[in-house]
Amino acid sequence: MKYDVENRRIWFKGEIVNVNDARINVLAPTSQFGLNVFEGIPCYWNEDEKQLYAFRLDDHYERLLKSSRLLQIDCKYTKEDLEKALIDVVRANEYKENLSVRQTLFVDGFASWGAERPVEMFVAPIPRERTSAEYNKKGLHCCVASWRRISDEMLPPRIKCGANYMNSRLGQREALRNGYDSCIFLNDMGKVAEGPGSCLFTVKAGTLITPCLTDSVLESITRDSLLKIAKEKGFPTVERTIDRTELYTCDEAFLCGSAMEITPVLSIDRYQVGSGEIGMLTKELHMLYLDIARGKSENFKNWITPIY
Ligand SMILES: Cc1ncc(COP(=O)(O)O)c(C=O)c1O
């Protein structure tokens, strides 16, 4: 690390600058209405190889471009531009540790929420000791939120945009107010959707079960990775609609996402999940995922991009 976190360099409107020198117009649609689309891209440091690997870069950029297309934000960057900006800014900071890189396309200028342009970008690496595997081992006590997850007919959860996180916030704040760590949302059909910043898996009789992509969830890259890893390992998986009561009777449950990795859920609405301890399959999938992301596995090598 070349700079302390308060003075880290970020990529901002085509230049690499001190984070304190990056200014955003308060009247821009991004500031006023959350008109931005973004990715949180995990990068893992491999100490043996002295290498930093970005995880599933191409898939993150595919989703970013999809989000900007759906919101009709006029993105001027190609995938190659997006990747070069990330690599340049991480190298500029000389990071040799695990990171989450926030890559955001935002609508700047003085127009309102209907504007398509000007679109600008920032790329900000965030060192992530707090969301390391150690932190995630603790496990969470969750409630089912009284708020419903946003839906495809209203504010599509498939779009990863800043504004969608106000739905996440309502659920998360409710959970914390009521003494829980986090929440699980039901969708507008009353079926299980996802967490506020993560997808959900349960395990029942050895089968991994996760809601379908049409059940009001983000098309999570971690969810997709776990389904592929599980298939490769021969663990049974099923993508299907999940009832609320199934949450109370499953053997294991976990939330997953680029930031949360695989975080066990120990109870839901105070119903203990399984034995109340971290489940075997949860633990094994987390280790497999980390080995792949750190470049320590021969499998899925095409998912990782070396930064140095
Ligand atoms: C609502 C929601 N669902 C799921 C996820 C997990 O997505 P990913 O695995 O691509 O990080 C996130 C994380 O950004 C999220 O905000």
Side-chain angles (χ1 to χ4, degrees), residues 4-296:
D4 54 36
V5 170
E6 289 74 26
N7 286 295
R8 82 185 80 146
R9 274 24 183 187
I10 73 165
W11 192 104
F12 184 70
K13 297 187 180 182
E15 285 178 73
I16 291 180
V17 299
N18 184 309
V19 64
N20 299 296
D21 297 328
R23 304 283 151 132
I24 287 193
N25 166 15
V26 292
L27 289 178
T30 185
S31 318
Q32 293 204 68
F33 307 107
L35 184 49
N36 54 65
V37 294
F38 69 97
E39 290 296 318
I41 302 169
C43 299
Y44 284 92
W45 178 245
N46 181 318
E47 181 59 30
D48 299 336
E49 294 178 22
K50 305 276 182 251
Q51 181 58 273
L52 186 66
Y53 287 110
F55 189 62
R56 297 194 68 172
L57 258 193
D58 193 63
D59 299 296
H60 278 283
Y61 293 144
E62 192 67 43
R63 187 172 65 183
L64 186 66
L65 295 175
K66 188 195 278 185
S67 294
S68 78
R69 176 185 164 79
L70 285 168
L71 276 185
Q72 292 197 274
I73 287 174
D74 185 20
C75 174
K76 57 191 173 196
Y77 304 103
T78 62
K79 271 193 195 169
E80 289 70 34
D81 298 332
L82 297 171
E83 179 169 335
K84 182 172 184 323
L86 179 140
I87 290 177
D88 286 352
V89 74
V90 172
R91 285 186 184 168
N93 286 281
E94 297 179 9
Y95 278 124
K96 295 183 168 56
E97 61 192 283
N98 297 346
L99 304 171
S100 170
V101 181
R102 176 60 51 89
Q103 192 147 0
T104 300
L105 298 170
F106 61 95
V107 180
D108 205 359
F110 290 92
S112 192
W113 43 262
E116 287 174 64
R117 62 186 75 83
V119 174
E120 296 291 353
M121 177 165 73
F122 71 80
V123 192
I126 304 166
R128 62 193 296 257
E129 319 88 67
R130 257 174 52 80
T131 51
S132 69
E134 280 305 312
Y135 175 72
N136 290 342
K137 271 187 201 153
K138 275 195 312 189
L140 302 175
H141 298 281
C142 295
C143 60
V144 171
S146 69
W147 303 94
R148 292 292 165 102
R149 186 72 182 129
I150 46 177
S151 70
D152 198 60
E153 303 86 75
M154 193 188 66
L155 195 56
R158 175 170 285 112
I159 303 175
K160 192 166 167 67
C161 62
N164 280 6
Y165 283 81
M166 295 308 106
N167 176 240
S168 302
R169 178 180 170 87
L170 288 170
Q172 181 65 20
R173 297 300 311 178
E174 177 184 47
L176 295 177
R177 246 187 351 264
N178 293 329
Y180 297 94
D181 300 314
S182 192
C183 72
I184 296 164
F185 284 99
L186 304 182
N187 61 24
D188 58 352
M189 305 300 284
K191 303 299 179 186
V192 174
E194 60 180 342
S198 51
C199 276
L200 174 91
F201 278 80
T202 62
V203 178
K204 188 71 191 171
T207 297
L208 283 153
I209 310 169
T210 193
C212 307
L213 290 179
T214 46
D215 282 339
S216 298
V217 302
L218 180 72
E219 292 178 339
S220 154
I221 289 167
T222 318
R223 173 190 176 282
D224 180 71
S225 304
L226 295 177
L227 286 171
K228 289 184 170 131
I229 295 167
K231 275 179 195 144
E232 201 247 358
K233 279 274 152 195
F235 305 148
T237 60
V238 53
E239 296 170 71
R240 67 159 173 83
T241 295
I242 299 177
D243 280 337
R244 177 180 188 157
T245 45
E246 290 184 87
L247 295 177
Y248 305 149
T249 54
C250 61
D251 302 330
E252 300 182 30
F254 59 86
L255 294 172
C256 72
S258 303
M260 305 194 71
E261 296 175 348
I262 287 93
T263 300
V265 175
L266 303 182
S267 73
I268 303 171
D269 284 343
R270 306 286 180 219
Y271 285 92
Q272 180 175 296
V273 173
S275 64
E277 304 281 316
I278 300 170
M280 293 290 289
L281 209 46
T282 305
K283 209 180 284 181
E284 186 162 357
L285 274 174
H286 194 184
M287 290 308 136
L288 289 166
Y289 171 83
L290 283 178
D291 277 352
I292 291 167
R294 288 185 189 131
K296 292 193 170 187

